[in-house]
Amino acid sequence: MPDTLSVTDNRTGKTYELPITDGTVRAMDLRQIKTDADDFGLMAYDPAFTNTASCRSAITYIDGERGILEYRGYPIEQLAEQSTYLETAFLILYGHLPTQAELDAWTHNITYHTFVHENIKKFLEGFRYDAHPMGMLVGTIGALSTFYPDARHVLDEESRELQTWRLIAKVPTLAAFAYRHNRGMPFVYPDNDLSFAGNFLSMLWKMSESKYTPDPVLERAIQVLFILHADHEQNCSANAMRAVGSSRSDPYSATAAAAAALYGPLHGGANEEVLHMLMEIGHKERVPEFVKKFKGGEGRLMGFGHRVYKNYDPRAKIIKRTADEVFDLTGRNPLLDIALELERIALEDDYFIERKLYPNVDFYSGIIYQALGFPMEMFPVLFAIPRTSGWVAQWREMITDPEQKIARPRQIYTDGHKKDYVPIGRR
Ligand code: CMC
């Protein structure tokens, strides 16, 4: 059987053979389908890209029906259990697990770039005392482009490599500085003797002690959360990174755009929304009443549902296990009982079953973050730190892909034509 699709245009009676490659037809192959020579040709209409592959990618694989997530072919469960965040970031970026020498060099390069220019402190201080840390992060990531004008040489491989190190290394520092500003606390400089996660905790929480020593359980929990959030193929923020980067903007500007996309409550802002929802529910007994509301279209059950997963999000399963380890140390977050009851009732309810709505990564992550002592405004920031490696990997893949061009979708124009201008006094 040939790998082709036969399409008959009933307007003209003509039949076309469209090649099928990797389970897709090329949207541009539709363009030949015309009613006459003046016709522009057929386009594909796909608002929100629900059934459009925008690229070929070798980074992350998701089987949403079966709840599978792999980075470069390695199951997320194995990476969460056995890898470190920096090793996983290397894997995502370079396509293979590093040798010891590669890992040492990579760790050195990231550690070496954790400091930020002193002027960044000045403009962070310019933000209002109660500025949302994610807003500050978006702004300061974008501002990095002014410190590294060499970053605009996006076609230069060496420059891309340097910006990769800088971005992965500096985003945690910016994130921690934003947090300290928001709390009115002095900034803490990076401690390069600590691990990636340990250093981040030190920059957040170090007080008067001369050396901050992270609790190994908390350090590990943050690391697992970082691994789980490192990449997730063509999600809203990865798509923003690729789209903005496709105009050959520097990677700091593109990463700021990606972080801005992540900020939204339907993407990285969802875990903050989950906590607001759990607090509003307030008690296990009120769960059925709220589930009824969500089914009636009054709000959404935040942390449930996913564009790709039509099964339990594998990351949510791992987070649930990590939560138990954290709660052994910090004491149980009372919101967990409400969340467990919400999950139980929703998973038995026909509305959620029919629509294949399951807990996603955000359902339990906020509960752990809160138990770890993070205020809710930090939740999207905690997502952005590890996702930076994914964004950069997506950007690098896009820049070096000969099939990619500036991202520029088409539209269906819906208003009239050739209207005569009416002066304002006669409207
Ligand atoms: N609660 C109640 N109903 C829902 C929910 C929900 N959380 N999610 C989807 N639905 C319903 C929706 O109303 C629709 O019903 P109907 O067919 O009767 O109109 C159906 O399920 C399909 O929903 P959709 O909006 O077409 O699905 P989507 O693929 O466009 O949206 C989503 C995916 C994640 C935006 C959505 O499920 C949602 O808003 N979830 C809550 C927010 C959330 O948890 N976001 C985090 C996503 S995971 C982390 C990340 O990627 O950042």
Side-chain angles (χ1 to χ4, degrees):
M1 294 278 263
D3 279 349
T4 58
L5 179 72
S6 301
V7 180
T8 304
D9 183 350
N10 293 323
R11 299 171 302 176
T12 58
K14 277 196 198 160
T15 296
Y16 303 81
E17 293 280 302
L18 309 184
I20 298 177
T21 317
D22 297 321
T24 64
V25 290
R26 289 205 170 238
M28 273 309 277
D29 284 345
L30 299 174
R31 192 69 77 73
Q32 61 183 306
I33 304 176
K34 299 179 177 197
T35 48
D36 55 52
D38 292 337
D39 184 2
F40 181 76
L42 219 55
M43 293 191 294
Y45 178 57
D46 188 9
F49 312 126
T50 51
N51 196 37
T52 294
S54 63
C55 61
R56 293 176 162 276
S57 182
I59 302 169
T60 292
Y61 172 78
I62 302 175
D63 180 335
E65 295 297 326
R66 291 192 291 154
I68 292 173
L69 169 62
E70 295 170 353
Y71 297 152
R72 300 281 187 179
Y74 293 92
I76 191 67
E77 292 79 4
Q78 289 187 26
L79 294 169
E81 184 127 351
Q82 298 175 54
S83 185
T84 61
Y85 171 69
L86 276 189
E87 184 185 61
T88 297
F90 182 100
L91 171 70
I92 283 174
L93 279 150
Y94 303 101
H96 64 276
L97 285 168
T99 61
Q100 189 62 54
E102 284 173 323
L103 184 61
D104 291 347
W106 169 243
T107 305
H108 169 82
N109 289 333
I110 299 300
T111 309
Y112 185 81
H113 285 94
T114 48
F115 279 72
V116 293
H117 194 287
E118 281 293 292
N119 282 3
I120 287 183
K121 287 191 342 196
K122 284 196 196 134
F123 59 75
L124 268 171
E125 275 156 8
F127 282 105
R128 274 181 62 108
Y129 70 93
D130 59 351
H132 196 294
M134 191 64 176
M136 288 192 261
L137 185 68
V138 170
T140 45
I141 293 176
L144 286 181
S145 86
T146 66
F147 290 87
Y148 305 113
D150 56 314
R152 69 176 186 277
H153 303 301
V154 295
L155 300 182
D156 179 81
E157 197 182 337
E158 241 174 78
S159 171
R160 285 201 299 270
E161 190 63 14
L162 180 57
Q163 315 320 325
T164 299
W165 302 338
R166 284 176 173 156
L167 268 161
I168 294 173
K170 290 181 201 303
V171 166
T173 311
L174 297 177
F177 280 16
Y179 170 79
R180 301 281 293 205
H181 174 75
N182 181 272
R183 300 268 125 173
M185 290 154 84
F187 300 129
V188 174
Y189 286 109
D191 179 344
N192 289 346
D193 296 335
L194 296 175
S195 71
F196 186 86
N199 169 49
F200 177 58
L201 295 178
S202 166
M203 290 189 291
L204 287 173
W205 288 327
K206 184 168 181 285
M207 296 302 289
S208 57
E209 65 272 41
S210 55
K211 177 103 188 152
Y212 176 87
T213 314
D215 184 292
V217 173
L218 302 188
E219 188 180 0
R220 180 69 204 153
I222 287 286
Q223 177 140 257
V224 169
L225 288 158
F226 280 1
I227 292 171
L228 298 182
H229 286 88
D231 191 58
H232 212 229
E233 53 117 307
Q234 305 313 311
N235 54 82
C236 181
S237 55
N239 185 57
M241 182 85 192
R242 281 177 174 262
V244 173
S246 76
S247 74
R248 307 221 173 132
S249 308
D250 69 83
Y252 302 102
S253 304
T255 304
L262 187 71
Y263 199 178
L266 297 187
H267 191 6
N271 50 13
E272 188 176 342
E273 297 297 321
V274 170
L275 279 216
H276 285 301
M277 174 188 75
L278 294 176
M279 286 188 297
E280 196 191 334
I281 296 174
H283 197 278
K284 255 166 67 165
E285 277 158 23
R286 296 186 64 203
V287 166
E289 170 197 331
F290 274 81
V291 169
K292 210 167 150 193
K293 277 194 196 165
F294 299 138
K295 285 166 27 178
E298 226 184 287
R300 283 198 164 188
L301 202 176
M302 298 310 285
F304 254 69
H306 199 274
R307 171 63 57 79
V308 180
Y309 293 118
K310 302 300 166 198
N311 200 325
Y312 213 101
D313 182 335
R315 300 169 299 173
K317 270 191 206 153
I318 300 169
I319 292 188
K320 225 171 146 181
R321 275 203 302 276
T322 310
D324 291 334
E325 289 161 27
V326 169
F327 294 152
D328 281 346
L329 193 80
T330 61
R332 195 176 166 87
N333 185 336
L335 294 180
L336 180 67
D337 295 321
I338 303 174
L340 289 170
E341 181 69 355
L342 202 48
E343 177 186 332
R344 189 185 68 76
I345 293 189
L347 292 184
E348 283 175 357
D349 192 293
D350 283 347
Y351 175 93
F352 293 90
I353 295 170
E354 276 161 23
R355 289 166 181 76
K356 298 189 178 171
L357 301 171
Y358 290 86
N360 61 49
V361 69
D362 288 322
F363 195 63
Y364 289 106
S365 63
I367 298 175
I368 303 197
Y369 290 145
Q370 197 181 48
L372 289 172
F374 289 105
M376 278 185 274
E377 314 84 75
M378 278 300 282
F379 295 179
V381 173
L382 291 162
F383 194 153
I385 294 170
R387 184 54 63 86
T388 302
S389 58
W391 290 330
V392 175
Q394 297 286 344
W395 168 73
R396 290 165 58 122
E397 195 177 59
M398 179 274 304
I399 283 280
T400 51
D401 180 347
E403 280 199 302
Q404 290 293 338
K405 294 178 176 208
I406 185 166
R408 205 305 184 184
R410 293 278 176 174
Q411 63 165 10
I412 301 172
Y413 174 68
T414 59
D415 206 341
H417 299 283
K418 295 193 174 159
K419 298 178 184 176
D420 282 324
Y421 182 81
V422 182
I424 196 158
R426 285 206 273 119
R427 285 176 210 162

